[in-house]
């Protein structure tokens, strides 16, 4: 059975969906291994994995063993998720510590926070994702890898987005 499984051929999305159903225990085992095991986090990671698998399937060229291809995407997505969550928690804890020492914290100022989210929401989804990763202290190299872009493209994109965000912020302050 394991031998045949290694040489499974998946030709379309319906077959991929059936294959995923067969591998559901494997997927949940990976999700449980890379999260804090809360139902919400497991489901979030599971959905992220499914999205990445379906997205990557467009480029699948039936080279090599399907399970190897599939499990590589599953594990890499889980590792990325784990690293992201670890950094997010660390950043959150750092911000909490800093907030205790500040008398005024703009992050807790509802008006400032609302402005910030409005500005981010004005960006298209790709730009918003890049800025969110940048704000979460991912390195340019990590952002480039996660978004399938070149290092120089991300550097340029972040530089331009900072200018755009600053201009929008300044315009919002003039209007208010």
């Amino acid at each position: 059975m394991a031998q045949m499984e290694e040489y499974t051929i998946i030709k379309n999305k319906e077959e991929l969906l059936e294959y995923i159903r067969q591998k559901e225990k494997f997927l949940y085992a990976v999700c449980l291994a890379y999260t804090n095991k809360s139902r919400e986090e497991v489901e979030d990671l599971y959905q992220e994995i499914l999205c990445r698998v379906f997205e990557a399937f467009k480029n699948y060229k039936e080279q090599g063993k399907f399970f190897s291809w599939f499990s590589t995407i599953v594990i890499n997505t889980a590792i990325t998720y784990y690293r992201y969550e670890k950094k997010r928690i660390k950043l959150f804890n750092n911000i909490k510590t800093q907030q205790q020492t500040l008398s005024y914290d703009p992050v807790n100022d509802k008006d400032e926070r609302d402005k910030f989210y409005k500005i981010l929401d004005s960006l298209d989804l790709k730009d918003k994702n890049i800025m969110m990763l940048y704000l979460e202290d991912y390195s340019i190299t990590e952002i480039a890898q996660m978004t399938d872009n070149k290092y120089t493209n991300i550097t340029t994109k972040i530089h331009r987005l900072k200018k755009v965000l600053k201009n929008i912020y300044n315009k919002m302050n003039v209007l208010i």
Side-chain angles (χ1 to χ4, degrees), residues 43-57:
E43 291 299 324
D44 284 348
L45 178 54
Y46 188 86
Q47 290 299 319
E48 181 67 23
I49 288 171
L50 292 182
C51 290
R52 295 274 173 101
V53 167
F54 274 97
E55 187 177 305
F57 187 70

Side-chain angles (χ1 to χ4, degrees), residues 17 54 96 139:
L17 190 57
F54 274 97
K96 260 180 125 174
S139 71

Side-chain angles (χ1 to χ4, degrees), residues 26-70:
F26 167 73
L27 290 171
Y28 276 112
V30 170
C31 292
L32 286 168
Y34 285 92
T35 63
N36 69 7
K37 296 172 184 46
S38 75
R39 181 181 194 95
E40 293 81 19
E41 266 196 82
V42 169
E43 291 299 324
D44 284 348
L45 178 54
Y46 188 86
Q47 290 299 319
E48 181 67 23
I49 288 171
L50 292 182
C51 290
R52 295 274 173 101
V53 167
F54 274 97
E55 187 177 305
F57 187 70
K58 294 180 226 171
N59 300 322
Y60 178 67
K61 301 274 193 280
E62 292 188 28
Q63 298 169 342
K65 299 173 183 170
F66 188 80
F67 183 74
S68 297
W69 173 87
F70 178 77

